[in-house]
Amino acid sequence: MKISNKLNLPQPFVDAVQSDYKPKEHQYSVTTILNPTRQVILSRRYNDEIVQDVADMIWMLFGTALHTVLENAQESESQFKEEYLKQDLEILDESLKGYFLSGKADLLDALQKRMTDYKTTSVYKILKGDYDDWYRQLLIYAWLFTKIGFEVDNAEIVALLKDWSKTKAKVDKSYPQLQVQVVPFKFNDKDFEYIEEYIKERFLELKKYENVPDEELPMCTEEERWNNGTKYAVKKNKNKTAVRVLDTLEEAEAYKDNLQEKSDKDNYWIEERPGTDTRCIDYCNCHDFCPYYKQKYKIKEEG
C-alpha cells in the first residue's frame, strides 16, 4: 500500500502508518476473512497500487496506540498477550491443505477461559447493538486457541468510544454513560461447530476466486456494502422537498393515491432514491479497482 500525505502532516504520522505488509499466498488473517470475498481478493491483488492518505488513518493510529499501551502492561501468570496463532486448515477439508488461518489475539486469560479484544469504535455501534462481526472474530480466535490445547468459553470486547459525548450522556440515559463499554459473549459447543463451518466455507470460497478476473468476483451484498436501502419520496408538484419518504414503492403509491384523492388541484408523484453504498464509498480501500464501484460511482465523479 502506498501512503499519501495531502495535508503535509509531520513525518512521524506518516512513519507510524507505513507498513511493509505483503499478503502471504494461501494465508488469510482472522480479520481478513470477515470481509466480503470481492474486497479480500482485490485488496490482495492490488496491494502495491492501493493509495491511502495518512489523514484517513488517524483513528487507526489511536487503535495502535491503545494496543501498544496495553501490550506493555504486566500480565498475570494465567494471561497471554498478543499471542500469534496460525492453523493449517487441512484439518477442516483436504482441499485446503497448505491454506492457513492466522491472527494475533489481544489477550487470553486461561484461568477465566476468556478472550479479550480491544476496540476503538463509534457510539453508534453500541447504540445499534449489532455485534455479529465482533462475535465471529472472538469466536475464531477462541477456536484457534482450542486447537493448541486451551479452553475458551467466554469473551469480551473492551470498546473505547472515540466520539463519546459527556453532555449527551447527562441528558440521555439510553446513551452510553461511560466512554468505555464492555460487551460480553458466551460460547458453547454449537458456537464452535458454527464457526468451524464458517471458517471452512470462507476459505473454500476464497480459494475458488483467487485467480478469477475482477469482473467475475462475487458481488458484495447490499448488507456487505452497508447500503442504506432504496427509498421512495412522495413529492408535490415541483417542490424539491418531499411530503414523505417511505421504504417501499407500494407504501409510497398508497400514500400518493390517498393524497391525490383529497385534492384534485395538486399533482403528487414519486421519486426513487437509490440507496448509498457507504462501505464502498468511504471504507473500502480497494474500491478504485472494483468494477462495480468504478461503474456506479467513479464514472460519475470523473464526469
Side-chain angles (χ1 to χ4, degrees):
M1 179 187 295
K2 300 175 182 178
I3 304 297
S4 62
N5 189 8
K6 296 177 183 178
L7 296 180
N8 197 29
L9 294 174
Q11 189 61 35
F13 280 85
V14 181
D15 294 340
V17 298
Q18 289 281 8
S19 172
D20 57 0
Y21 167 77
K22 297 284 185 182
K24 295 180 180 178
E25 188 177 17
H26 303 332
Q27 181 170 322
Y28 298 89
S29 71
V30 173
T31 52
T32 294
I33 69 169
L34 294 172
N35 292 320
T37 297
R38 174 175 285 225
Q39 183 181 6
V40 173
I41 300 297
L42 290 178
S43 293
R44 294 167 71 91
R45 188 171 289 174
Y46 297 101
N47 179 69
D48 294 336
E49 300 174 54
I50 291 172
V51 179
Q52 197 162 2
D53 194 78
V54 64
D56 294 325
M57 305 171 76
I58 294 302
W59 280 110
M60 186 191 79
L61 284 179
F62 275 85
T64 301
L66 172 65
H67 280 80
T68 300
V69 170
L70 296 172
E71 183 181 353
N72 291 334
Q74 181 62 48
E75 72 269 31
S76 69
E77 293 183 358
S78 65
Q79 293 179 332
F80 300 86
K81 294 186 310 183
E82 298 292 325
E83 195 74 19
Y84 179 75
L85 305 164
K86 182 177 176 181
Q87 177 64 53
D88 188 331
L89 295 185
E90 185 182 8
I91 62 170
L92 301 183
D93 192 289
E94 290 183 357
S95 69
L96 292 176
K97 181 177 181 180
Y99 280 77
F100 296 90
L101 171 64
S102 63
K104 185 179 286 187
D106 287 346
L107 181 68
L108 171 72
D109 190 317
L111 190 61
Q112 301 293 328
K113 301 179 182 179
R114 182 171 61 233
M115 281 284 317
T116 298
D117 196 72
Y118 310 119
K119 301 284 188 189
T120 54
T121 190
S122 66
V123 169
Y124 177 74
K125 177 80 172 178
I126 303 299
L127 291 174
K128 189 179 180 183
D130 181 7
Y131 305 133
D132 286 351
D133 54 339
W134 288 354
Y135 159 77
R136 290 193 190 98
Q137 182 180 350
L138 287 171
L139 190 50
I140 294 171
Y141 280 128
W143 180 83
L144 284 170
F145 270 112
T146 65
K147 296 307 169 188
I148 57 174
F150 289 95
E151 290 185 56
V152 184
D153 63 14
N154 71 108
E156 63 184 7
I157 292 288
V158 179
L160 176 62
L161 310 185
K162 55 190 179 184
D163 55 350
W164 182 80
S165 167
K166 182 178 289 188
T167 300
K168 290 181 180 179
K170 287 181 178 180
V171 299
D172 184 357
K173 294 302 179 183
S174 66
Y175 189 88
Q177 296 298 294
L178 296 171
Q179 191 167 6
V180 178
Q181 298 288 303
V182 178
V183 181
F185 300 89
K186 288 283 189 181
F187 301 143
N188 56 38
D189 290 342
K190 287 187 177 180
D191 291 309
F192 283 103
E193 290 173 8
Y194 156 75
I195 208 63
E196 189 165 285
E197 186 65 20
Y198 175 85
I199 294 168
K200 184 179 79 170
E201 292 303 318
R202 288 298 295 127
F203 269 80
L204 287 173
E205 179 165 71
L206 290 169
K207 179 184 178 183
K208 176 181 177 181
Y209 289 105
E210 278 178 333
N211 298 308
V212 166
D214 297 351
E215 296 77 11
E216 297 176 25
L217 292 172
M219 185 60 201
C220 301
T221 64
E222 282 196 354
E223 183 179 6
E224 289 173 332
R225 301 196 307 268
W226 301 347
N227 187 287
N228 56 10
T230 297
K231 305 293 182 183
Y232 299 88
V234 179
K235 306 184 80 171
K236 176 181 176 181
N237 298 326
K238 295 183 180 180
N239 295 348
K240 293 183 179 181
T241 305
V243 177
R244 188 170 179 184
V245 179
L246 296 127
D247 293 331
T248 68
L249 179 59
E250 290 76 14
E251 290 174 319
E253 290 280 6
Y255 187 77
K256 176 182 74 70
D257 292 344
N258 184 52
L259 290 175
Q260 201 67 60
E261 287 177 6
K262 296 178 181 179
S263 174
D264 57 2
K265 298 179 180 179
D266 300 316
N267 178 45
Y268 293 92
W269 55 286
I270 297 173
E271 177 185 70
E272 182 177 328
R273 297 179 177 177
T276 301
D277 299 308
T278 304
R279 185 181 204 162
C280 297
I281 297 171
D282 296 323
Y283 298 98
C284 181
N285 65 358
C286 62
H287 63 200
D288 286 337
F289 304 95
C290 175
Y292 171 80
Y293 177 86
K294 287 190 286 188
Q295 178 65 34
K296 186 171 182 180
Y297 297 104
K298 188 131 186 153
I299 291 177
K300 293 180 181 178
E301 292 172 3
E302 295 174 348

